[in-house]
Amino acid sequence: MTQNPKRYTITAALPYTNGPIHIGHLAGVYVPADIYARYLRLTGNDVAFMCGSDEHGVAIPMRAKKEGVSPQDIIDKYHGIIKKSFNDFGISFDNYSRTSAEIHHETASDFFKKLYKDGEFIEEVTEQLYDAEADQFLADRFVVGTCPKCSYEEAYGDQCENCGSSLSGTELINPKSAITGNVPTLKQTKHWFLPLDKYSDFLTEWIVEGHKKDWKPNVYGQVKSWVDDGLKPRAVTRDLDWGIPVPVEGAEGKVLYVWFDAPIGYISATKEWATREGKDWEPYWKDEDTKLVHFIGKDNIVFHCIIFPSMLKAHGDYILPDNVPANEFLNLEGNKLSTSKNWAVWLHEYLEDFPGKEDVLRYTLTANAPESKDNDFTWKDFQARNNNELVAILGNFINRVVVLTHKYYDGIIPEYTGEYEELTQVKHFPAIISSSIERYRFREASQELMNLARLGNQFLQANEPWKKIKEDPETVKGIMYVALQIASAIAVLSEPFLPFTSNKLKGILALDADLSWNDISTKEVLIPAGHKINPGELLFAKIDDKEIQAQLDKLEATKKANEAANKEVVPQKETATFDDFTKLDLRVGTIIEAEKVRKTKKLLKLIVDTGLDQRTIVSGIAESFTPEEIIGKKVTVLANLAPRTIAKVESQGMILMTETPEGKLVFVNPDEDGVNNGETIN
RNA sequence: AGCGAUAUAGCUUAAUUGGUAAAGCACUGGUCUCAUAAGCCAGAAGUUGAAAGUUCAAAUCUUUCUAUCGCCA
């Protein structure tokens, strides 16, 4: 671990510009990163907090093609929305850049050239799938075909979504171009590979041995398993016309792999910032006394812990991350967030729907952050966090103090009389909260802040100034003095979590703007006697059921829209003659046995009594039914379908199915009393 | 598939390296009236995903399951 760093470089994962920012991105990456960055600045550290839009990769041109616009249109649109919403939400990036920026192209190019010159790459000519009509190599998702491992028919060129295998396009059976639908041909192409195997020892020493204790289990576990499995050279270039051109001779029509250029974006963003601020960027990336921390989601672990560090190591000039606190994922109302299905709470929409409530979302996402496992965001929980915690505990405490101060003393802080141990207790909070933040436990840290407000409420309750004001006004002075010190501590310590509220509260208390995190522990007086505070205003307002219902309705409408989109009726196929139809031998059968096919998610192996025989049929229905619930069911069987081996099991027929709008499969079933197995259907 | 992570009270989470399962919210009861029908005090709430094993002792270690997510963008 970097001890006593002179400066911090904090990065937050570059958002991909194929959609706006949603609560999943915020909870996983940007809110924790922002809390960390704000905390460090407040404790007097030199911080560079860097981010930017990731605008390369296959998905951008694919999406552009689909929408009939240029890739540039796509990235400009989303870069604009993303940048503005981050800014309005108070994410305090020192720079938010973009990978289409000239400085980034230059930086990434130079990085590649340095490794190339130093002989850090392996060059290899391989045969890749090529679509002659589109005049394009079919990288990753541009090709679809049958998975060689599980026979799933819609596997992509990089991965099969049914069994999860990592594939390469050339392994696919019956590959088809996702652009034209044509059958691709094989064509030779040259690519550059980073030999990750060369860095295996370095990664073992640095992470597997060096960060066993301080890195999160999900991060550490994944790195260890990759290293233990043996690393392989990884291609860092692609045949594509969107991205950063490979800056060497003979590489026309090739660009850097998006995962090669994207993390370099952190460096480019730092350069851009330093130029603007008149600073030197290099210490932030090259000085051993700099602590580098990458905030990411769990899907990015290998890139930030294996590939990028290997790149940095290969380059030789750069420091390595001190920690990579990857978060898990956030779900929304029980379902996975999905940009394509519009299943999300979009930041730019939230900011419109809930003006002035930036901190409510920040707090909810922090208190319910997916730090150790996937979590669920519900609007009901959002409402409860606001009404029961922010309003009732924190907001209410501040309001009590402010109202009483105006009522008893016309807003002027009274002299401290008596002796209260709460003044000492307050001094402990900076260290308590720091300890949580520095261990990347932001959820816990936010709860400690609430505990400070609880301490305030308990203090008032125990001392009852509203009672004593009549018979013992001198004592009340001391009580209110202490309560005001607590309120001041909250104003400062809430800044990383609730920056808008912190500002508002500092305004109400007319607090010294220079009051820092450590002052809360070291200064005897946070807000002095004789000082006048401003008229109060409520920090938080209750959110009523109507507002929550409106959001739930919005989600319900999305669900309906998705169903409607899925329901689009497939056009009628070409005419079949009666003879065509009679070729099909459709029969009634009964499922007598069912079990899951090992190593697949979707397949069930069924034994069906068809009246003719008992035969094995493999059916892709495991996600809709458990084996137990379908045993004994009467189903429609296509009996004379040519046998086919699926996942090593020979299937002798097909069960006729249809589907609900939600994608649940339903049997086409002849379930009327007195129908016998083997009866033909015509 | 394989690998990794996760599974603890209705909900969100703790449990410092095997030693009395602990908080907040919600709930129930009591109480106060300065405050946003807020607060404060107390209480109830658990077969720690399942099963087996190791041990004087298991949320924690082992084995086998199950479920969810990630490993491509």
Side-chain angles (χ1 to χ4, degrees):
Chain A
M1 268 207 287
T2 312
Q3 299 292 339
N4 303 317
K6 277 197 191 132
R7 66 187 77 70
Y8 286 81
T9 303
I10 317 250
T11 74
L14 306 185
Y16 200 58
T17 38
N18 66 343
I21 291 297
H22 60 55
I23 52 169
H25 303 122
L26 294 174
V29 179
Y30 305 103
V31 169
D34 190 53
I35 291 172
Y36 193 64
R38 284 175 180 273
Y39 160 75
L40 289 173
R41 290 192 199 104
L42 203 53
T43 45
N45 290 287
D46 181 1
V47 175
F49 181 21
M50 294 297 142
C51 192
S53 296
D54 176 9
E55 307 179 307
H56 297 138
V58 232
I60 303 283
M62 269 187 101
R63 176 157 187 157
K65 214 160 252 174
K66 212 159 132 195
E67 293 186 17
V69 298
S70 73
Q72 190 68 40
D73 290 336
I74 300 276
I75 64 169
D76 284 349
K77 175 179 166 190
Y78 290 117
H79 174 73
I81 295 175
I82 292 170
K83 186 171 182 178
K84 181 175 189 306
S85 63
F86 274 144
N87 187 56
D88 293 347
F89 193 53
I91 302 294
S92 62
F93 297 129
D94 290 300
N95 191 24
Y96 187 81
S97 187
R98 57 193 302 189
T99 58
S100 60
E102 201 181 317
I103 190 162
H104 175 67
H105 277 239
E106 214 177 277
T107 307
S109 257
D110 288 350
F111 201 108
F112 185 93
K113 276 191 268 188
K114 165 93 160 71
L115 299 198
Y116 180 79
K117 200 180 86 221
D118 293 350
E120 298 288 347
F121 292 130
I122 300 171
E123 276 179 33
E124 207 173 302
V125 176
T126 55
E127 296 208 304
Q128 293 290 320
L129 299 173
Y130 179 77
D131 184 334
E133 188 187 326
D135 188 22
Q136 195 173 352
F137 280 98
L138 301 172
D140 304 331
R141 301 237 141 175
F142 273 119
V143 55
V144 184
T146 302
C147 172
K149 305 205 174 148
C150 74
S151 302
Y152 180 63
E153 289 177 9
E154 283 164 56
Y156 292 104
D158 52 1
Q159 193 188 33
C160 169
E161 302 219 315
N162 184 46
C163 68
S165 310
S166 288
L167 303 172
S168 89
T170 49
E171 291 178 69
L172 291 175
I173 302 162
N174 302 325
K176 264 194 287 186
S177 163
I179 311 166
T180 60
N182 294 342
V183 175
T185 53
L186 284 172
K187 194 172 165 181
Q188 289 202 332
T189 178
K190 178 156 83 176
H191 282 290
W192 287 265
F193 291 74
L194 183 66
L196 293 177
D197 40 313
K198 253 180 76 180
Y199 304 94
S200 181
D201 289 346
F202 145 69
L203 290 166
T204 301
E205 190 187 328
W206 171 47
I207 301 177
V208 179
E209 287 161 16
H211 286 295
K212 199 168 188 160
K213 288 275 162 62
D214 59 324
W215 282 23
K216 293 173 69 163
N218 55 347
V219 179
Y220 180 84
Q222 201 170 129
V223 171
K224 188 171 185 309
S225 87
W226 270 65
V227 174
D228 288 351
D229 285 356
L231 297 165
K232 293 186 200 73
R234 200 166 166 116
V236 295
T237 53
R238 287 286 190 275
D239 288 297
L240 203 69
D241 62 356
W242 180 250
I244 298 174
V246 176
V248 298
E249 289 216 13
E252 289 70 35
K254 296 177 202 299
V255 297
L256 300 182
Y257 175 44
V258 63
W259 269 113
F260 185 87
D261 95 69
I264 296 174
Y266 300 138
I267 302 170
S268 322
T270 312
K271 282 186 179 175
E272 192 177 65
W273 164 73
T275 307
R276 197 170 60 216
E277 303 279 317
K279 293 186 175 214
D280 181 6
W281 70 274
E282 292 191 86
Y284 291 90
W285 283 94
K286 299 184 176 178
D287 186 339
E288 283 299 329
D289 289 329
T290 299
K291 181 161 166 176
L292 173 63
V293 181
H294 295 308
F295 284 86
I296 58 168
K298 65 173 161 180
D299 52 336
N300 284 345
I301 291 171
V302 259
F303 298 101
H304 285 80
C305 301
I306 295 194
I307 300 177
F308 189 45
S310 297
M311 287 164 56
L312 294 172
K313 185 76 180 166
H315 189 286
D317 291 347
Y318 289 94
I319 55 168
L320 298 167
D322 185 80
N323 207 329
V324 184
N327 270 345
E328 301 285 310
F329 279 7
L330 192 69
N331 293 322
L332 169 60
E333 301 286 354
N335 291 307
K336 269 206 269 187
L337 285 161
S338 163
T339 297
S340 58
K341 288 183 190 156
N342 192 29
W343 189 255
V345 176
W346 302 105
L347 177 57
H348 63 290
E349 291 185 4
Y350 174 88
L351 292 169
E352 272 180 30
D353 291 351
F354 294 94
K357 293 200 193 310
E358 297 86 358
D359 283 347
V360 179
L361 186 60
R362 288 178 69 111
Y363 180 74
T364 307
L365 295 179
T366 305
N368 190 23
E371 284 178 3
S372 52
K373 63 161 205 224
D374 289 1
N375 269 348
D376 196 25
F377 176 94
T378 66
W379 281 107
K380 211 174 142 250
D381 180 64
F382 168 84
Q383 181 187 30
R385 293 277 183 193
N386 180 73
N387 293 357
N388 303 331
E389 297 180 33
L390 290 177
V391 173
I393 296 170
L394 201 158
N396 186 43
F397 167 66
I398 297 300
N399 193 41
R400 297 170 86 176
V401 174
V402 171
V403 166
L404 289 176
T405 304
H406 280 290
K407 195 166 172 179
Y408 299 156
Y409 311 111
D410 289 327
I412 298 184
I413 316 290
E415 292 291 335
Y416 180 40
T417 59
E419 245 181 76
Y420 297 94
E421 58 163 350
E422 279 79 2
L423 283 183
T424 314
Q425 286 177 33
V426 170
K427 290 184 198 296
H428 298 322
F429 276 83
I432 292 171
I433 301 176
S434 290
S435 157
S436 294
I437 292 179
E438 282 169 19
R439 287 176 296 132
Y440 309 101
R441 300 170 80 145
F442 302 104
R443 205 169 45 199
E444 184 181 275
S446 72
Q447 291 315 298
E448 290 299 345
L449 175 70
M450 290 310 288
N451 283 341
L452 180 53
R454 285 193 180 96
L455 174 73
N457 277 322
Q458 285 159 359
F459 175 74
L460 285 181
Q461 198 59 43
N463 290 289
E464 302 183 306
W466 50 90
K467 269 190 187 160
K468 291 183 183 146
I469 193 68
K470 287 160 204 151
E471 69 270 20
D472 188 5
E474 201 55 23
T475 300
V476 174
K477 284 184 186 170
I479 296 167
M480 288 313 299
Y481 176 89
V482 172
L484 281 154
Q485 306 306 315
I486 297 175
S488 303
I490 291 174
V492 173
L493 300 181
S494 63
E495 207 267 352
F497 311 94
L498 310 166
F500 295 89
T501 303
S502 167
N503 252 340
K504 234 191 210 174
L505 181 51
K506 284 174 188 163
I508 294 170
L509 299 175
L511 211 57
D512 180 354
D514 292 336
L515 213 55
S516 78
W517 189 270
N518 295 326
D519 289 341
I520 306 305
S521 311
T522 54
K523 283 200 168 176
E524 276 312 308
V525 180
L526 302 178
I527 189 165
H531 174 89
K532 187 167 165 63
I533 65 171
N534 289 313
E537 65 175 308
L538 295 179
L539 293 180
F540 300 100
K542 283 212 161 188
I543 294 173
D544 63 34
D545 294 347
K546 236 169 50 194
E547 287 174 272
I548 295 304
Q549 195 53 49
Q551 293 300 327
L552 291 172
D553 290 348
K554 200 162 155 183
L555 288 173
E556 193 54 39
T558 296
K559 244 183 201 165
K560 288 247 166 70
N562 283 341
E563 283 173 18
N566 290 340
K567 237 188 257 169
E568 264 179 48
V569 180
V570 181
Q572 183 173 312
K573 293 179 186 170
E574 61 182 285
T575 312
T577 64
F578 183 73
D579 282 352
D580 287 338
F581 176 73
T582 52
K583 280 184 192 163
L584 302 178
D585 190 340
L586 293 168
R587 304 219 178 204
V588 176
T590 300
I591 298 173
I592 51 181
E593 276 178 41
E595 59 177 281
K596 270 190 114 165
V597 179
R598 275 188 62 80
K599 306 188 177 184
T600 67
K601 281 185 190 171
K602 295 187 176 173
L603 301 180
L604 287 185
K605 177 181 162 187
L606 310 174
I607 307 289
V608 180
D609 185 339
T610 62
L612 307 163
D613 52 19
Q614 297 190 349
R615 60 174 78 187
T616 303
I617 297 179
V618 177
S619 188
I621 58 174
E623 290 185 323
S624 297
F625 302 99
T626 61
E628 298 75 45
E629 69 180 303
I630 58 169
I631 290 173
K633 270 228 167 205
K634 275 219 163 73
V635 294
T636 312
V637 181
L638 175 55
N640 63 337
L641 184 68
R644 203 178 133 204
T645 302
I646 304 172
K648 295 181 185 160
V649 182
E650 191 182 53
S651 179
Q652 301 155 318
M654 182 190 274
I655 310 280
L656 268 47
M657 309 291 304
T658 185
E659 195 174 4
T660 67
E662 295 82 34
K664 184 177 158 48
L665 296 170
V666 180
F667 290 110
V668 175
N669 76 348
D671 218 354
E672 186 81 26
D673 287 346
V675 176
N676 291 323
N677 290 342
E679 203 60 58
T680 58
I681 295 169
N682 36 43

